[in-house]
Amino acid sequence: MTDAFHRFAQDLAPFIADERIISDPLRTLAFGTDASFYRLIPKLVVTVINEQEVQKVLELAHQHKVHLTFRAAGTSLSGQAVTDGVLVRLGNGWNKAAVLNNGAQLQVEPGVIGARANQLLAPFARKIGPDPASINTCKIGGIIANNASGMCCGTAQNSYQTLASMRLILADGTVLDTADEASKNAFRQSHASLLQQLADMRSQVLNNPVLHDRIVKKFRIKNTTGYSLNALVDFSDPIDIMQHLLVGSEGTLGFVSQVIYHTVEEHAYKASALLLFANIEQTSKAVTALSSAPVAAVELIDRAGLRCVEDKPGMPDYLRTLDEQAAALLVEVRAGSDAELQQRLSETTAALQAFDTLQPKTFTTDKNTCQLYWNIRKGLFPAVGAVRAKGTTVIIEDIAFPVENLAPAVLELQALFKKYQYNEAIIFGHALAGNLHFVFTQNFTDPAEIQRYADFMDEVCVLVVGRYDGSLKAEHGTGRNMAPFVEMEWGGQAYELMWAIKQAFDPAGLLNPDVILTRNLRTHIENLKPIPEADDLIDRCIECGFCEPVCPSRNLTLTPRQRIVIMRELKRQERDGKNPAYKTLLDDYQYQGVDTCAADGLCSMACPVGINTGDLSRKLRHERNKKHAGKAQWVAEHFAGVSKTSRGALQLMDITRDLVGDGVISTVAKGVNTLTLGATPLWHDAMPTAADKLNPCEYGVNELTQVVYFPSCASRTMGPGAKEDDQRSLMQVTLDLAQKAGVHLAMLPDQDQHCCGMPLESKGHFEQADAMRAALNAALLKTSDNGRLPVLIDTSPCVFRLQQQLDERIQLLDPIRFANRFLVPNLDIRPTHEPVAVHITCSTTKQGLGEELLSLARQCSTQVVVPADITCCGFAGDKGFMLPELNASALAPLKAQVEHCVEGISTSRTCEIGLSRHGEIPYHSLFYLLDRLS
């Protein structure tokens, strides 16, 4: 780190906590990575949580002349969110949002994920206008900064068009709230010169018909190349011009700390169709016809794109038989009522009447089919990434043509693919807006390959701009990727006007240099990101970041994407030569990457190519823990004794708790934990009591038996928390509830010997864990009469683990399915009006049972609360005992959302321990609630 950055960090330290000023090799690399194909490693990463901190960062950046870049979610694709200076990340202080005017507007801060904004608006049948494919991950800050749009947004509902007001911080640290008259009046006094410059720029445009008409024409189609010069045409008030220039400025003009959006209608009735045409020309002509029809979205997919998805589950067989010239349109029609939908479908079908299709023009309202179509469309980009050669990068480019030129432009683009031998390239896009994406793979380790890419992009730019006067960037932002070509697209006059805007807002040039505007014409082929081979489990990763919002360690250590980034770098250094920081990187990764990974697998559900980074963490634990394989084998062979010892230890702690209280135990446990270097668990008042011992032989199989019940080892060992009103164990509650419902349960006579193997699997002892699972399979098969009787396991994670290698004859029931099938039909449930919190475990989510659990909860309570921003609780087996900071970080938002609830329910005993502690309300199994209310 140079002296300037060092002094910057020193001067910043009194104002921002040390843990939020980051300079170590691991986290600067991990946090510095985004979804683009560029690699710059920041000298410093600073996490800011409020406006005052942003102001201080800006002040010191000017004082020490260090450049900086703002970062929201890091899903940007054009290199606008990477830097070799100071990376300023959004911390947890930017997550506030408020619905205004009965849903007509939304006030929202830059750290709110786009999908969360829409969740808040859903009760009002509204949504924000922008709808990027990354909306489940990207944040409002990035949506605004890139003027992101999407499949239905077009040019009418993007951030520029739906912006009501903005709160912003300029490079000099001044805060302006354009919704506040006092703030605006003060700004007019303090920044009269800047506002006059903007007024003069508007006059310059209005007095230059050629430039004026150029701007108007360029924004008739999607365009995010350069700055939003249309602000100089569309608005006369310099403050309005200013806030609209900030939209799409990619952090080069200032920082946006809050916006108010005008929202748009979210139609309740939708229908979709996948229409197949003989060739791209017919497909494009159909787009023109649909442009006057009442359609919400029209997505074009070429034959290569269809080939990428033709083997996906649910796709029709005829896709495999299409010839090479075929193409498709995915069309969606939306309406506010069924009658309106039918009318719009009729008009849309009429618009298509003149076109022959390879299959009947069939629109479907089936939600699952529609979701399948749109999920596949969203998965086209990663589909190419998943099958690319190892060590190559997947690139997505983003261009727009006037719609009437779509057909010849696509054909010429395909010809360029052939010329430069990008044979795997696919084309898809938002056809109504003339917006196309093309995806291809590229090797950036070979200079000849880099030159091939450079030559190809030169010709693409000539095609887009020279032949069709289109947009080199339609919605992904200019970034570094197209910065050298902005003048080519816009011409000299507009280009110099953009530089004048940059100079007016950021005279020192410290905000995101070389993004949008650059004098370096090789910026687009410099600082290219290496994607080295690392492990078959993760080599398909395209570093998109879609996994990050569901990761429980995202605010503590690393996310799945960041774990993969570091693993790739470690493997690269092992092959190419270790640098001096290698050992530090490796040592730090043990805690940051391996130990604090909950291995819950939710990342695989969010990942467009299905990567489970938890599998990598378990594999690394396996390699690290091989020396303990003998101990794991002993545990597997003596599990009944281990369980008995664990229950005995809890019984001893129960006695101790009664004598000295939780406070004393907690203090002693903390000291022992310190002396043993974290090898012993910490203690708190939500720790479980010992479960009551039951004799399973009293519940043998007989002619009345309907279900075999296998309590998990956690249920057999851990009772409720000491403060719970109901001190029965989950085993006893389950037996009592089943008896109440008239359901006869039987138990394994030797149940204490058995476990699904999850505790050993989580530590990488795969062989021993699988042996335990196999033994349990055999025992369940025997007791269930070769599968004649269904089997209940009372804990969702154990069910999921067993399902991965289950004898096909066994009918395995999760507690949710058991409740729906055997309990609810036979119980008289008296719902409570008191609020009940629901935690959907990772295993419940992976089994697709989340909605079923919520349905059960709603039968029990008229007020069901599902806390936002909590997926996995982070307890992760025993990590809640041994690494409680992971559980605390994952559940940090919990208490504020459930403090009005009387209780919480879940389907995992260990999860309930952490939930009770951090929610400060009792959490227990769904069965306790059903038993109490029936």
Side-chain angles (χ1 to χ4, degrees):
M1 186 162 48
T2 65
D3 288 345
F5 287 98
H6 184 71
R7 290 193 299 270
F8 170 86
Q10 282 186 320
D11 289 351
L12 190 61
F15 305 97
I16 294 181
D18 288 346
E19 63 268 20
R20 293 193 281 116
I21 303 175
I22 296 162
S23 60
D24 62 87
L26 184 146
R27 289 184 294 169
T28 51
L29 172 59
F31 296 164
T33 299
D34 74 348
S36 75
F37 53 91
Y38 296 96
R39 162 67 51 76
L40 288 169
I41 302 175
K43 304 291 191 306
L44 286 168
V45 177
V46 178
T47 303
V48 293
I49 59 174
N50 57 46
E51 289 182 343
Q52 292 72 33
E53 291 185 350
V54 174
Q55 289 174 299
K56 181 56 67 173
V57 166
L58 288 167
E59 175 191 330
L60 293 175
H62 281 85
Q63 180 179 325
H64 296 288
K65 296 181 173 55
V66 299
H67 57 284
L68 53 84
T69 293
F70 299 115
R71 165 80 68 82
T75 56
S76 300
L77 296 165
S78 301
Q80 58 266 60
V82 296
T83 182
D84 58 358
V86 178
L87 182 69
V88 183
R89 300 169 70 225
L90 295 179
N92 287 329
W94 305 96
N95 297 327
K96 292 188 283 295
V99 177
L100 308 177
N101 302 324
N102 201 34
Q105 291 181 321
L106 180 73
Q107 182 183 74
V108 60
E109 292 185 339
V112 174
I113 291 174
R116 174 60 182 157
N118 285 338
Q119 288 174 1
L120 295 170
L121 290 166
F124 304 91
R126 308 291 292 181
K127 63 178 182 175
I128 60 172
D131 60 339
S134 59
I135 197 164
N136 290 330
T137 304
C138 66
K139 297 179 178 179
I140 294 297
I143 292 173
I144 284 281
N146 293 301
N147 197 21
S149 48
M151 288 179 277
C152 301
C153 166
T155 57
Q157 296 182 346
N158 58 25
S159 291
Y160 180 93
Q161 297 291 352
T162 58
L163 179 70
S165 69
M166 176 185 291
R167 188 173 172 89
L168 57 96
I169 306 176
L170 293 180
D172 65 4
T174 302
V175 176
L176 167 65
D177 187 343
T178 67
D180 185 300
E181 287 301 324
S183 177
K184 290 195 292 185
N185 289 334
F187 190 83
R188 290 187 180 104
Q189 294 294 319
S190 64
H191 286 70
S193 176
L194 173 58
L195 295 178
Q196 186 59 52
Q197 288 182 71
L198 295 176
D200 291 345
M201 291 178 196
R202 171 174 163 79
S203 296
Q204 177 187 341
V205 170
L206 295 181
N207 292 328
N208 185 335
V210 173
L211 181 57
H212 174 276
D213 293 348
R214 179 77 180 142
I215 293 171
V216 171
K217 180 182 179 183
K218 290 298 293 179
F219 286 102
R220 286 195 182 120
I221 60 175
K222 280 189 178 182
N223 192 322
T224 59
T225 309
Y227 290 124
S228 301
L229 293 184
N230 47 339
L232 297 170
V233 173
D234 297 339
F235 302 97
S236 57
D237 184 338
I239 287 181
D240 282 334
I241 293 172
M242 174 184 293
Q243 68 174 355
H244 284 86
L245 281 172
L246 263 289
V247 176
S249 65
E250 302 174 31
T252 63
L253 302 182
F255 177 86
V256 178
S257 62
Q258 183 191 88
V259 296
I260 296 180
Y261 272 120
H262 294 299
T263 63
V264 301
E265 185 177 2
E266 172 64 299
H267 296 98
Y269 294 84
K270 303 174 184 178
S272 296
L274 185 64
L275 307 176
L276 298 168
F277 298 85
N279 54 56
I280 201 72
E281 185 175 6
Q282 284 297 304
T283 309
S284 300
K285 288 181 178 178
V287 172
T288 303
L290 287 169
S291 64
S292 59
V295 292
V298 178
E299 293 291 301
L300 182 148
I301 309 172
D302 74 350
R303 179 65 185 99
L306 291 171
R307 191 178 298 111
C308 286
V309 299
E310 62 189 21
D311 293 324
K312 296 285 185 182
M315 293 306 288
D317 292 338
Y318 56 72
L319 286 186
R320 301 183 187 90
T321 67
L322 298 175
D323 67 32
E324 291 304 303
Q325 304 304 313
L329 293 178
L330 178 53
V331 181
E332 182 164 280
V333 178
R334 298 177 175 182
S337 68
D338 183 57
E340 184 183 23
L341 179 65
Q342 297 308 316
Q343 176 61 34
R344 291 185 174 186
L345 285 173
S346 177
E347 294 176 32
T348 302
T349 303
L352 290 166
Q353 190 170 2
F355 299 92
D356 293 328
T357 54
L358 302 179
Q359 294 290 328
K361 305 181 187 83
T362 304
F363 280 85
T364 178
T365 57
D366 179 72
K367 290 184 178 180
N368 291 331
T369 304
C370 291
Q371 193 64 49
L372 170 70
Y373 287 160
W374 289 99
N375 284 346
I376 284 174
R377 157 59 189 87
K378 290 180 179 180
L380 283 170
F381 168 40
V384 175
V387 298
R388 73 189 190 280
K390 290 184 178 181
T392 62
T393 298
V394 60
I395 296 176
I396 180 169
E397 292 293 351
D398 164 48
I399 55 180
F401 300 101
V403 175
E404 62 271 17
N405 295 327
L406 205 54
V410 170
L411 293 173
E412 290 183 52
L413 188 56
Q414 289 175 329
L416 286 180
F417 294 157
K418 292 179 181 178
K419 177 178 178 178
Y420 287 95
Q421 298 183 342
Y422 289 112
N423 300 318
E424 77 291 346
I426 67 172
I427 298 174
F428 60 92
H430 319 313
L432 277 182
N435 178 197
L436 297 179
H437 304 310
F438 57 96
V439 182
F440 57 100
T441 61
Q442 176 68 50
N443 180 356
F444 281 137
T445 62
D446 181 349
E449 280 290 290
I450 295 174
Q451 189 58 50
R452 175 175 71 127
Y453 169 73
D455 293 342
F456 169 67
M457 289 308 300
D458 285 346
E459 287 213 44
V460 167
C461 291
V462 171
L463 168 66
V464 175
V465 174
R467 285 188 52 74
Y468 295 107
D469 197 18
S471 305
L472 292 173
K473 282 295 178 184
E475 60 180 5
H476 291 171
T478 308
R480 300 172 184 278
N481 185 220
M482 281 298 163
F485 303 98
V486 174
E487 185 174 13
M488 173 190 286
E489 174 170 335
W490 275 98
Q493 286 186 324
Y495 187 61
E496 289 308 316
L497 181 59
M498 291 182 190
W499 274 109
I501 291 170
K502 173 67 172 175
Q503 178 65 24
F505 279 84
D506 179 27
L510 299 180
L511 301 184
N512 223 4
D514 284 330
V515 168
I516 294 187
L517 300 178
T518 183
R519 302 297 187 188
N520 177 5
L521 298 183
R522 293 181 58 83
T523 297
H524 65 304
I525 52 173
E526 293 178 349
N527 302 302
L528 300 169
K529 182 197 293 182
I531 303 287
E533 293 181 52
D535 191 289
D536 287 341
L537 292 171
I538 59 172
D539 281 340
R540 291 173 298 136
C541 175
I542 57 178
E543 299 183 6
C544 64
F546 286 11
C547 55
E548 295 191 335
V550 300
C551 178
S553 63
R554 64 189 182 275
N555 295 319
L556 176 67
T557 52
L558 302 179
T559 65
R561 167 168 65 173
Q562 293 161 355
R563 288 184 168 92
I564 290 171
V565 167
I566 300 302
M567 180 52 56
R568 283 173 164 166
E569 177 62 13
L570 288 168
K571 294 298 182 182
R572 184 194 68 78
Q573 290 194 33
E574 288 170 9
R575 280 193 299 269
D576 301 344
K578 300 173 182 177
N579 67 30
Y582 173 81
K583 188 175 187 309
T584 300
L585 201 66
L586 180 62
D587 290 345
D588 288 351
Y589 190 71
Q590 299 310 305
Y591 176 78
Q592 299 273 348
V594 181
D595 293 341
T596 53
C597 175
D600 57 72
L602 290 183
C603 52
S604 66
M605 299 183 69
C607 175
V609 295
I611 294 171
N612 185 345
T613 313
D615 288 341
L616 173 68
S617 296
R618 279 188 287 265
K619 181 178 180 179
L620 295 173
R621 291 170 194 163
H622 169 73
E623 294 170 357
R624 191 174 66 186
N625 292 336
K626 282 180 181 178
K627 59 187 176 184
H628 301 302
K631 297 175 184 176
Q633 186 65 37
W634 187 90
V635 168
E637 292 173 353
H638 301 85
F639 194 75
V642 172
S643 296
K644 183 177 181 180
T645 301
S646 298
R647 189 167 50 249
L650 285 173
Q651 287 172 334
L652 178 62
M653 295 309 297
D654 290 344
I655 296 170
T656 307
R657 176 157 37 189
D658 289 341
L659 291 173
V660 301
D662 284 310
V664 173
I665 299 176
S666 177
T667 301
V668 173
K670 186 175 181 180
V672 174
N673 178 268
T674 301
L675 290 173
T676 60
L677 301 179
T680 56
L682 296 170
W683 188 267
H684 50 78
D685 61 4
M687 291 290 273
T689 59
D692 294 333
K693 177 71 174 170
L694 290 177
N695 182 2
C697 295
E698 295 179 3
Y699 300 90
V701 175
N702 57 45
E703 66 278 4
L704 297 177
T705 300
Q706 296 167 269
V707 176
V708 173
Y709 170 39
F710 177 70
S712 72
C713 56
S715 303
R716 302 194 305 266
T717 305
M718 303 176 192
K723 296 180 180 180
E724 288 263 16
D725 292 335
D726 191 339
Q727 284 295 301
R728 291 175 298 165
S729 69
L730 177 56
M731 286 187 296
Q732 190 61 60
V733 170
T734 303
L735 293 167
D736 292 347
L737 185 59
Q739 184 179 26
K740 184 186 294 186
V743 179
H744 295 268
L745 301 181
M747 303 174 85
L748 275 63
D750 58 348
Q751 66 179 17
D752 285 345
Q753 297 179 18
H754 294 292
C755 170
C756 69
M758 183 178 292
L760 293 178
E761 182 202 37
S762 68
K763 292 179 172 51
H765 297 300
F766 302 137
E767 182 180 344
Q768 296 82 1
D770 289 348
M772 295 190 77
R773 178 168 58 189
L776 178 56
N777 251 299
L780 292 175
L781 193 63
K782 178 181 178 180
T783 305
S784 67
D785 190 16
N786 287 319
R788 180 181 64 84
L789 298 171
V791 174
L792 162 68
I793 298 181
D794 57 19
T795 303
S796 294
C798 302
V799 174
F800 184 78
R801 158 87 181 149
L802 200 58
Q803 284 175 338
Q804 307 314 300
Q805 196 173 338
L806 183 69
D807 189 294
E808 62 183 12
R809 290 169 289 179
I810 296 176
Q811 307 171 57
L812 193 60
L813 296 175
D814 181 277
I816 301 165
R817 286 276 166 85
F818 174 74
N820 272 326
R821 181 173 166 185
F822 288 95
L823 299 179
V824 173
N826 298 307
L827 294 173
D828 179 17
I829 299 174
R830 299 177 297 276
T832 178
H833 296 297
E834 295 179 317
V836 172
V838 177
H839 177 71
I840 301 172
T841 69
C842 311
S843 301
T844 301
T845 299
K846 289 185 286 188
Q847 292 178 82
L849 297 178
E851 284 303 317
E852 283 193 41
L853 176 58
L854 290 175
S855 177
L856 280 168
R858 290 178 184 124
Q859 293 179 63
C860 296
S861 172
T862 57
Q863 297 185 65
V864 171
V865 177
V866 182
D869 301 323
I870 293 173
T871 49
C872 172
C873 71
F875 205 92
D878 67 350
K879 287 193 181 298
F881 300 127
M882 312 305 293
L883 290 172
E885 65 269 30
L886 175 60
N887 185 225
S889 179
L891 295 182
L894 180 64
K895 180 183 175 182
Q897 299 184 71
V898 302
E899 56 189 359
H900 65 295
C901 297
V902 295
E903 63 186 312
I905 62 168
S906 184
T907 53
S908 169
R909 182 66 195 100
T910 52
C911 295
E912 291 150 14
I913 297 169
L915 291 162
S916 297
R917 181 186 184 191
H918 296 290
E920 297 187 9
I921 63 169
Y923 272 84
H924 38 233
S925 168
L926 160 72
F927 289 169
Y928 284 84
L929 182 65
L930 277 173
D931 187 50
R932 181 165 60 82
L933 298 177
S934 62

